[in-house]
Amino acid sequence: MNIALIAHDRKKDDLVRFAVAYKPIFEKHTLYATGTTGLRIMEATELPVHRFQSGPLGGDQEIGAMIAKNSMDAIFFFRDPLTAQPHEPDVTALVRLCDVYAVPLATNMGTAEILVRGLERGDLDWRNIVKEDRDQKDE
């Protein structure tokens, strides 16, 4: 599965701890992240992470493009709801794309715990069927 890891500044420590805790699950998948978040996860876990630009510089949109191409299977986006974000329209667009393309999205630790356990059990294997259907339509 292709999994994106994103976090607002005040949530980066939480996401890094989460990635460390669930390294045995994440190491079985291909990880993507926005700039600084990806670097911090790589340093803490030694997992390979494809890094995009930082969120405000277009990283959210790069991940959104993967969602629109049906190339992203799950998003862990630890958002900070108490701090105004200069790129809020990009965040809103990313969340909207997850809804449009039925990509599971966890925006807080509680939902992330459920999503990562589902990933571990194979509950997201239906994404492979969705990708196959999309690939056949593109042919």
Side-chain angles (χ1 to χ4, degrees):
M1 298 267 155
N2 291 333
I3 299 169
L5 304 167
I6 311 165
H8 286 146
D9 288 344
R10 291 189 178 177
K11 298 294 182 174
K12 286 188 191 323
D13 289 341
D14 290 341
L15 185 56
V16 169
R17 284 191 293 272
F18 186 80
V20 168
Y22 291 106
K23 178 181 175 180
I25 296 170
F26 286 129
E27 68 189 359
K28 297 174 186 171
H29 303 280
T30 304
L31 303 179
Y32 296 83
T34 49
T36 306
T37 303
L39 179 61
R40 293 200 43 206
I41 290 169
M42 287 171 44
E43 290 172 346
T45 65
E46 297 182 355
L47 291 171
V49 178
H50 176 88
R51 292 173 55 220
F52 292 114
Q53 297 291 329
S54 70
L57 297 179
D60 296 339
Q61 291 179 350
E62 289 176 294
I63 291 171
M66 286 188 72
I67 294 168
K69 292 178 182 175
N70 209 28
S71 298
M72 191 60 68
D73 298 300
I75 313 284
F76 292 84
F77 187 170
F78 284 21
R79 298 176 61 197
D80 178 3
L82 302 178
T83 303
Q85 302 298 325
H87 63 294
E88 190 61 37
D90 298 333
V91 172
T92 301
L94 184 70
V95 171
R96 180 183 161 282
L97 284 169
C98 287
D99 289 341
V100 168
Y101 290 95
V103 173
L105 168 67
T107 60
N108 61 65
M109 186 72 73
T111 308
E113 292 279 348
I114 293 167
L115 183 56
V116 78
R117 291 298 183 182
L119 186 64
E120 179 182 39
R121 285 190 311 266
D123 294 350
L124 274 68
D125 289 353
W126 61 270
R127 289 284 311 149
N128 293 322
I129 296 168
V130 171
K131 285 192 280 192
E132 288 171 13
D133 288 348
R134 174 96 182 214
D135 291 343
Q136 290 174 359
K137 287 178 185 175
D138 290 342
E139 291 177 353

